[in-house]
Structure formats: C-alpha cells, structure tokens
Amino acid sequence: MNTLTNTITVKSPADGSVIGEVPISSPQEIDETIARSERAFQDWKQTSIPERVSILRNLRRIILSERQAMIDLVALEQGKPKTEALIVEISPVLETLAFLIHDAPKILAPRRSSPKGPYLRGRSSTLYFHPYGIWTVISPWNYPINTPIVQLCAILFAGNTAILKPSPLTPLCGQWLVDAMHRAGFPKDVVQVVQGGATEGELLLSDPRVRSVLVTGSVATGRRVMEVAAQTNKKVVLELGGKDPAIVLSDADLERSAKGVVWAGMMNAGQTCAAIERVYVEQAVYEPFTQLLKKEIEALRVGNPLTGDPDMGPVVAPFQIEKIDAHVQDSVAKGARLLCGGKRLTELGELYYAPTLLTDVNHDMQIMREETFGPVLAVQAVQSEEEAILKANDSAYGLTASIWTRSRERAQRMAPRLECGAVTVNSHMTSFSDGCGCWGGFKDTGIGRTHGEFGLYELVQTQHVQENYVAKPEIWWYPYSERVRQITDDLYALIAEQRLGKRLALMKRFSAQTGYLNRFMTSHKTMPGLLRYLK
Ligand code: NAD
C-alpha cells in the first residue's frame, strides 16, 4: 500500500510483476459508501425470498461460465495453481449457493413456537428473523474469492446489505467478485467494495451505521476488531487463525493417509487457516508413516502457476516466507529432524519455499504453537489415543482437526473430545466446502459461525412476537391478593413435588379451584399441558 499516492500496487507473487494499481478508498468515499448502503437496505430488506434466490441462481451461472477468468485472476494475484483454484475457489461456493437456494428459505421463514408451561398456555408465539442492516465483511487474501463470496451471499440472502473490504494483497479478486454479484442482479448499493488496509477497515468498523462485522483474518486482527466494534455495540463474527492437528492412528490406511495429510498441509502452499500443521502419529507406525510423507512431499512439483500447472506455487508475500523460515529454523535449532525441504527455492523466484517435513518436534517449538501458514508438516510421535487428544488440544487455536483410522469406533470416541469447530475422519478441510455444515472455531480461533443453519442465524436478529386474544385480564396483573399468591404458590409446589401421592393431592386441590385455574391458565387444555410440563 502506498499512502503517498493513496494506491495499492498489486504485485503477482508468481514473479513479482506489477499487475494493477487500485485506489485506496478515502474517508469521504467510505462515508458515502455507508450512506448508500444504509439507503439500499430499506428496499433490499423488502425483497422477496424468491427474488433473492433468483439472483443467487444467476450468480451460480456467472461463476461457472466465467470460471476460467476467475482462476486466472486468482493464480495471478494470489499464486494458487490453476487446477487447485478451479477446485477450491469454486466448489465451496457452489455448495453454499445450493444451501441458500434450497434450504435457507425454510430456515429463515417465520417459525411458530408454543410455551410449555401453564402460565402462558393459550397464546401463540412466532419467531421472525430480521436482517441487522449493514454488514462489513473484512477478508484475507488466502481464498480471495471463496471466503468473501460465501459470506456475502448468506448476508444478502438474509436481507442485509454488505460492504466488502478485501485484503490489500488481493483487491482485484475482491473487485471481481463484487462486479460478478452486480451482474447477477444484486443492486449496486446492496453490495459494495471499499479498498484498503487496517485504516480503512477501522473506518468501517467505527461507524455506528454499520451494525455488524464478519472478519476473517489473524487472531491479532480479530482482537483489534472487537475493540473497535465494541465502541458502537456491533454484532461481531470472527473467523480467525488455526494450527490444525491430524491424528494418525496405527490402524490407518497409511498410504492413503499420507496422501491426504500432505495435500491438506501443502495445498495453497500451506496458506490455509485449516491446513494441517501438526501431525501426531501413533508410535507403532511413526517411522513408516513419516517415510511415506517424505515420499509424497518430495514428489510435489513447485513452480510458477502462470507458466505451468504445478502442484504448489509461491507464498503470497515476503512476510510469509520470513515467518515460515523462522519457524523451521527454530525447530531445527531445538532438535527437530529436517527430512526434506527447509529452504527457499530462489531459482524459482523470491517467494517460493520448498515443501518441508520436520519430525521429532515438540511443543516447545514455535512450529507447534504458532500459526506457520506455510508448506511445512511437523510430525510428533504419540504413545496412545489419550496422548494424541491431549497434544491436539494443547493449543490456543481450535479450528479443525482430523483423525485417520479404519476404526469407526475409535474415531467416534475421539472426535467429540477434540477442542475445535470441525473434525473430519480420513480427510481434512472438507467441512469448509459443505454449505449445509457449520464453520468456525473454538478458543482463540473465533466467535460465531458461518455456513449452514447456524451460520445463517448469526446474520439475523430474532424477534419474538407473542399473541394473546383472551379477553380476561392476566391473573398476575394488579391488584395482588392472597388468593393469587396461594394459586401461584400451589403451582410452584406442584412443579417442585416429586412424590406421586403428594402431587395427586395438590392436583386435586387445583381442580377444586377450577374457577381460578381457568382464569389463571387461560385455556381449557390446562391439565394435559400441566401434566406434560411436569414430566
Ligand atoms: P490479517 O488479519 O492480516 O488481515 C485480514 C483482513 O483484516 C485484511 O483485509 C486486513 O486488511 C484487515 N485488517 C487488519 N487489521 C485490521 C483492523 N485493525 N481493522 C479492520 N481490518 C483490519 O490476515 P491475512 O494475513 O489477510 O489472512 C491470514 C489469516 O487469516 C490467517 O491467520 C488465517 O488463519 C486466517 N484465516 C482464517 C479463516 C477462517 O475461516 N477461520 C479463513 C481464512 C484465513
């Protein structure tokens, strides 16, 4: 970012070439963007669900028909190999769109509910799901299309408007996806883009007209976002960093598991929040498994994603390669074994790092504690399932984890004990693609959820409308009296009573007071309702 010229100079990580200049949004432009979003909200929230669904269908067609342009841009601006971009930037979007088109209308439809207790029987309750208003979506660079687009589609589907602030490393992808959404039919002011970095993000966050924020980024950014957003009581959803463990049990299919662990560790040059960074392997298979990992890693083809179709491209920027190298050096200095990689591939360019395998690591090393976000797998032996769980949970992060085993029983016993938002068995990272699932982290990794039903509920405020058309006054209204006190007290005594004989006696007393009860309960269904309540 060049604050003198107020532009972002966009460079391709593949070869360092300048591929664009993007103006940074000025404070006045940000103010006007928010004002437009606020006005647009008034109309957008009135649109029908079928109208919104039809725009989402258009968007799906655009993404599919323009997929080549999209993956070319991702490869150019972010450095993903094109085959990889075709798979990982598009398939999660299709899954989310399918969820929004087919399932979400039912989930956000008004819902009837009925109170259980005798007090409120006879009245009807309806839950309505209302949009918040303006959401700001603050995005990282590592999945510059799929992450913001799935979030924006759900936000708009729920009747909100949105302002995207993409990462300053991938502003072109951010602009592309917002343009695609406009071409699909979302009105221009319903989804807009603000370009810039932390300063521009904070201008959005500190504005009271922006009601809610969904941030995907590092833990440090999440903390700062909460501080700023707290000043105007915003709704905050945080999707932050990870340090995901894979647990490889002795009964696993080792060859398949090695392929899967290497893919989930190295994909996007390891720059994935849910990448496998820590591998815990049961002692019995530790040696053969690390040898299989080495074979798989050494077979990876690293290269320029613009001139070929390698398995792995560059990392995104110099700060990334510095951190990766520092973590590797720290591990080696503390006694880890470097089985392959561990160096920059300067012959390819400034930002290429060799896929790396470290074994005999421990939790005193940075590589097992801090997010590395690079093509490095760090492997440690464990003696038992119990030790694997303890080690996996010994982290400030809690995004996802995977268990590799042939035993359903072992997997199902272990999965609920892992402190993270998603566990996959014999695969890794696939839960993000599941638009009907649930995405988000435990511990420092985040607050709230995206994806599926629980993700949708984050984007709306629930309103409870309770109706009562009984003409008589409520019994608890003034004036208070001994009679009212007695009936209430008897009711509580009945609810508290566990002994059948006593309960029947209290019920008899209630029946004798039918006149009061009918008024009190406001419904003739009182006794069956009461019995159900007492069960
Ligand atoms: P980052 O935290 O540096 O930046 C993320 C976004 O926040 C950028 O748009 C940035 O400009 C903005 N930002 C930074 N400071 C801000 C502030 N004070 N106020 C407002 N906005 C601010 O992260 P990054 O390097 O772009 O992305 C990598 C991180 O994102 C990793 O930690 C990764 O694990 C995480 N991530 C998490 C998920 C998830 O789903 N949990 C997904 C992708 C990436």
Side-chain angles (χ1 to χ4, degrees):
M1 299 222 327
N2 187 336
T3 43
L4 286 178
T5 57
N6 277 330
T7 53
I8 302 169
T9 303
V10 193
K11 287 187 184 173
S12 174
D15 57 11
S17 58
V18 173
I19 55 170
E21 290 279 339
V22 175
I24 297 173
S25 304
S26 68
Q28 190 187 338
E29 284 165 340
I30 293 174
D31 178 66
E32 288 163 4
T33 304
I34 297 171
R36 284 195 298 273
S37 194
E38 198 178 32
R39 283 194 295 275
F41 175 61
Q42 297 311 323
D43 287 337
W44 180 248
K45 70 178 177 187
Q46 311 285 358
T47 52
S48 68
I49 295 293
E51 270 176 82
R52 296 178 202 166
V53 163
S54 134
I55 299 174
L56 292 176
R57 285 186 203 277
N58 294 341
L59 182 63
R60 183 165 61 186
R61 276 192 289 275
I62 289 173
I63 287 171
L64 290 175
S65 64
E66 298 182 17
R67 62 189 184 278
Q68 191 57 48
M70 188 182 118
I71 66 170
D72 285 350
L73 182 59
V74 170
L76 184 66
E77 192 177 38
Q78 189 257 313
K80 258 187 206 94
K82 291 184 185 177
T83 303
E84 191 169 279
L86 189 66
I87 299 165
V88 301
E89 293 285 355
I90 295 180
S91 62
V93 182
L94 299 182
E95 289 291 326
T96 291
L97 288 175
F99 163 76
L100 291 174
I101 290 166
H102 300 293
D103 298 352
K106 280 174 254 140
I107 292 170
L108 290 191
R111 182 176 308 174
R112 297 302 290 264
S113 79
S114 54
K116 299 276 177 290
Y119 259 107
L120 300 176
R121 281 197 66 83
R123 53 202 82 203
S124 71
S125 278
T126 314
L127 303 178
Y128 292 92
F129 302 105
H130 293 285
Y132 277 92
I134 307 175
W135 278 79
T136 185
V137 173
I138 296 186
S139 294
W141 45 264
N142 60 336
Y143 290 86
I145 302 285
N146 87 13
T147 302
I149 210 166
V150 301
Q151 296 170 347
L152 288 167
C153 286
I155 285 169
L156 302 188
F157 174 83
N160 303 281
T161 54
I163 301 170
L164 169 69
K165 195 208 73 60
S167 164
L169 291 172
T170 50
L172 301 177
C173 285
Q175 188 64 59
W176 185 91
L177 73 91
V178 170
D179 289 347
M181 293 179 85
H182 291 158
R183 277 182 279 128
F186 286 110
K188 287 236 165 345
D189 296 341
V190 162
V191 54
Q192 302 176 79
V193 65
V194 155
Q195 297 286 8
T199 306
E200 290 67 32
E202 291 201 12
L203 281 174
L204 288 165
L205 288 176
S206 51
D207 193 297
R209 293 168 294 176
V210 174
R211 289 309 321 143
S212 349
V213 54
L214 199 172
V215 175
T216 310
S218 63
V219 170
T221 295
R223 288 205 179 105
R224 175 68 188 148
V225 161
M226 280 201 86
E227 265 174 39
V228 181
Q231 305 312 309
T232 45
N233 282 20
K234 283 187 182 32
K235 160 86 186 200
V236 175
V237 176
L238 302 177
E239 296 288 357
L240 308 177
K243 186 80 196 166
D244 285 10
I247 297 173
V248 181
L249 298 178
S250 51
D251 61 55
D253 176 338
L254 295 187
E255 298 232 348
R256 183 183 181 280
S257 305
K259 284 182 189 301
V261 168
V262 168
W263 180 81
M266 301 296 166
M267 201 268 285
N268 198 19
Q271 303 167 113
T272 302
C273 49
I276 295 177
E277 297 206 359
R278 301 178 284 147
V279 188
Y280 302 105
V281 185
E282 274 195 313
Q283 185 69 60
V285 293
Y286 181 67
E287 270 310 316
F289 189 67
T290 50
Q291 287 311 313
L292 285 168
L293 289 178
K294 182 168 184 281
K295 189 177 122 205
E296 292 294 331
I297 291 174
E298 284 176 340
L300 293 176
R301 297 161 303 122
V302 184
N304 184 329
L306 306 179
T307 54
D309 196 14
D311 298 315
M312 190 191 297
V315 298
V316 79
F319 70 86
Q320 274 292 118
I321 210 157
E322 296 302 333
K323 181 168 63 159
I324 296 161
D325 207 35
H327 282 195
V328 172
Q329 299 312 325
D330 173 75
S331 315
V332 173
K334 288 178 180 159
R337 269 201 305 156
L338 180 66
L339 262 59
C340 60
K343 58 178 188 212
R344 296 164 198 245
L345 299 174
T346 45
E347 65 279 17
L348 292 175
E350 191 198 350
L351 297 177
Y352 293 81
Y353 200 84
T356 298
L357 180 62
L358 291 164
T359 58
D360 300 354
V361 295
N362 62 54
H363 280 213
D364 293 332
M365 300 171 182
Q366 282 175 320
I367 204 87
M368 298 304 266
R369 295 244 158 246
E370 298 166 26
E371 189 175 41
T372 306
F373 230 50
V376 183
L377 282 175
V379 193
Q380 185 170 10
V382 289
Q383 304 305 323
S384 61
E385 273 179 35
E386 195 58 30
E387 189 187 355
I389 292 169
L390 287 174
K391 287 258 160 44
N393 289 343
D394 179 22
S395 174
Y397 298 96
L399 185 52
T400 84
S402 54
I403 303 170
W404 302 77
T405 176
R406 286 189 174 98
S407 162
R408 225 175 264 266
E409 193 199 331
R410 293 183 86 186
Q412 290 175 1
R413 185 166 63 220
M414 292 174 76
R417 296 185 59 200
L418 292 170
E419 295 165 357
C420 58
V423 179
T424 43
V425 178
N426 295 320
S427 204
H428 194 100
M429 232 186 267
T430 44
S431 54
F432 182 84
S433 306
D434 182 353
C436 304
C438 180
W439 184 256
F442 286 17
K443 303 194 255 187
D444 283 0
T445 292
I447 295 177
R449 294 290 178 266
T450 61
H451 289 51
E453 182 174 1
F454 295 102
L456 268 184
Y457 290 139
E458 299 281 356
L459 307 175
V460 288
Q461 32 199 354
T462 309
Q463 180 188 50
H464 178 187
V465 174
Q466 194 189 61
E467 295 163 73
N468 175 25
Y469 299 105
V470 172
K472 287 175 181 161
E474 310 275 25
I475 192 162
W476 54 83
W477 289 354
Y478 298 130
Y480 295 148
S481 68
E482 176 53 26
R483 198 184 63 189
V484 169
R485 198 196 65 75
Q486 190 58 55
I487 291 174
T488 309
D489 205 56
D490 282 356
L491 176 68
Y492 293 163
L494 175 62
I495 295 168
E497 185 53 65
Q498 295 298 307
R499 290 162 299 181
L500 187 63
K502 285 266 184 192
R503 198 176 254 184
L504 286 172
L506 279 164
M507 280 188 167
K508 208 168 149 196
R509 190 153 130 201
F510 256 21
S511 303
Q513 296 169 328
T514 309
Y516 304 138
L517 270 179
N518 279 351
R519 281 185 65 193
F520 185 51
M521 309 294 188
T522 67
S523 156
H524 291 298
K525 293 179 203 140
T526 294
M527 267 309 157
L530 185 59
L531 288 172
R532 193 162 47 92
Y533 185 64
L534 291 174
K535 246 172 134 181

